Amino acid sequence: MITRREYLKLSALAGVALAINPKLLLADDSPREVITRVIPGTSERLPVVGLGSSASFSRVAGEGDTDRIRAVLQALVEHGGKVFDTAPSYGEAEGVAGRVAREAGLAQRLFWATKLNVVPRGGDTADVDAARAQLEQSFARIGKDPIDLVQVHNMADPPTQLGLLNEYKQAGRIRYVGITTTFPRQYADLEALMRNEPLDFIGVDYAIDNRTMEERIFPLAAERGIGVLVYAPFGRRRLWEQVEGKQVPEWAAEWDIATWGQFFLKFVVSNPVVTAATPSTSRPEHMIDNLGAATGRLPDEAGRQRMVEYVAALD
Ligand SMILES: NC(=O)c1ccc[n+]([C@@H]2O[C@H](COP(=O)([O-])OP(=O)(O)OC[C@H]3O[C@@H](n4cnc5c(N)ncnc54)[C@H](OP(=O)(O)O)[C@@H]3O)[C@@H](O)[C@H]2O)c1
């Protein structure tokens, strides 16, 4: 749900009156409680919706539009979000976000999730010195030591790169370590690592029309006590293209869903294994919209099923 003041702010930012079911506007501006999840094995809680930074965010950072980047990061923090997912390979994203966050006094308020990967294209081994240099570059860019979470990007040379991350963790410079993939051909190897390595997090793709994770990886994450960051919760542009020109169904109001962004994200974060979803956006109004999915009621199992069927039936 959003407050009337937020609705007016969003409409002004978007330059149009937004088509939001009036039943979903809160009558007052009382702060809304943000839904959080505990990081398995700890008492630390994270808001279930955060921000990713490849795609459009990285494009805007690359164009040097620091005002937009600042506005998105401010919207994230002001509306109760915290997790910011980035990587050295996302163009200017990590560097620009780090600088802007420091200047705006936000760096220490964010949960920074960055990545490590120095395996050359077409190769399969990482040079340890190059990996150390990349990590030190992330420390310099982000301005936070320890960094909250560093994950091996795309399953690249885990023995070397995860080994190094564990070394940094032992030294107190990284709080949590993990590994990511959004490639189905790497899921079996990810599963093996989840069984054999002490991982704090995985970062994987999951969306209402992309639910392979439910079969093996999510149950294993629950069993092993591994936190889950969800990537590509909109399938980047895929789901937006599917719902273009279509209204969110009225019955979604039962779970305080006012927009398609909230529909897709509430599906994702209502899976109890998910610690946080990190949709990417380059627009503050979308950031506020997305954080709306971290408030109000979440669908139960029957509701989730209804949502899946509804989206699958759209042409
Ligand atoms: N292997 C890995 O480690 C890996 C792989 C993939 C992704 N990731 C992480 O996960 C993040 C998310 O994935 P993604 O960026 O690929 O795709 P995504 O989050 O599924 O989709 C991003 C797209 O959705 C649009 N969008 C966001 N909020 C919106 C809203 N409320 N209304 C309308 N449009 C909206 C964005 O455009 P606007 O800018 O216009 O909002 C952008 O085009 C990445 O940025 C990255 O941090 C990691």
Side-chain angles (χ1 to χ4, degrees):
M1 284 198 267
I2 67 172
T3 64
R4 278 182 306 168
R5 187 164 50 180
E6 281 167 344
Y7 172 77
L8 294 173
K9 194 171 159 191
L10 275 172
S11 297
L13 280 165
V16 287
L18 295 173
I20 284 181
N21 182 342
K23 276 191 239 152
L24 289 172
L25 293 182
L26 285 178
D28 60 27
D29 282 324
S30 55
R32 297 160 307 156
E33 202 175 312
V34 170
I35 302 165
T36 59
R37 289 267 157 73
V38 76
I39 299 174
T42 76
S43 55
E44 182 172 358
R45 303 191 73 89
L46 295 177
V48 290
V49 175
L51 170 64
S53 65
S54 63
S56 50
F57 185 103
S58 125
R59 180 176 41 75
V60 169
E63 290 162 1
D65 191 348
T66 49
D67 288 348
R68 273 269 285 285
I69 297 296
R70 183 177 307 105
V72 174
L73 289 171
Q74 258 159 354
L76 171 71
V77 172
E78 280 168 15
H79 289 80
K82 194 166 183 183
V83 180
F84 178 63
D85 185 89
T86 190
S89 61
Y90 295 166
E92 301 297 316
E94 187 187 57
V96 171
R99 194 173 71 245
V100 165
R102 279 202 307 281
E103 286 165 5
L106 301 174
Q108 308 302 318
R109 295 172 68 185
L110 295 171
F111 181 95
W112 289 87
T114 193
K115 310 196 184 78
L116 169 67
N117 186 12
V118 294
V119 174
R121 199 173 282 271
D124 51 19
T125 50
D127 176 82
V128 181
D129 291 336
R132 279 185 202 285
Q134 189 179 79
L135 276 174
E136 292 306 328
Q137 175 184 261
S138 292
F139 282 107
R141 285 173 166 179
I142 292 170
K144 200 175 176 188
D145 196 343
I147 293 178
D148 301 294
L149 167 63
V150 185
Q151 302 191 86
V152 174
H153 205 165
N154 288 333
M155 298 285 297
D157 190 1
T160 306
Q161 301 200 116
L162 196 54
L164 186 63
L165 293 185
N166 279 321
E167 195 188 288
Y168 271 69
K169 185 180 168 185
Q170 299 244 303
R173 297 197 67 198
I174 294 175
R175 297 173 59 224
Y176 300 105
V177 302
I179 193 151
T180 78
T181 183
T182 53
F183 297 113
R185 66 175 185 276
Q186 294 181 334
Y187 292 168
D189 288 346
L190 172 65
E191 226 183 289
L193 274 174
M194 290 169 73
R195 290 187 194 282
N196 299 317
E197 296 291 329
L199 296 170
D200 301 312
F201 274 92
I202 54 168
V204 289
D205 55 316
Y206 179 54
I208 196 164
D209 64 343
N210 170 25
R211 294 179 296 123
T212 308
M213 287 300 139
E214 291 174 1
E215 294 164 17
R216 299 177 63 92
I217 306 271
F218 280 1
L220 186 58
E223 184 191 317
R224 302 274 301 161
I226 299 172
V228 173
L229 291 189
V230 165
Y231 296 152
F234 305 133
R236 198 157 280 189
R237 301 305 310 166
R238 192 180 64 236
L239 283 166
W240 297 117
E241 281 159 17
Q242 201 173 343
V243 298
E244 202 177 338
K246 299 187 175 77
Q247 291 294 318
V248 175
E250 283 264 326
W251 48 259
E254 197 180 323
W255 301 300
D256 305 316
I257 289 168
T259 63
W260 280 117
Q262 293 171 10
F263 191 99
F264 300 141
L265 287 173
K266 281 211 169 182
F267 173 80
V268 163
V269 304
S270 59
N271 187 316
V273 179
V274 172
T275 312
T278 63
S280 168
T281 184
S282 57
R283 296 175 186 277
E285 66 271 25
H286 286 174
M287 188 70 257
I288 297 169
D289 178 21
N290 295 346
L291 280 164
T295 66
R297 293 164 290 183
L298 291 179
D300 57 11
E301 204 39 56
R304 287 168 51 78
Q305 193 53 37
R306 188 176 187 186
M307 293 167 100
V308 168
E309 284 163 14
Y310 189 84
V311 169
L314 293 172
D315 35 69

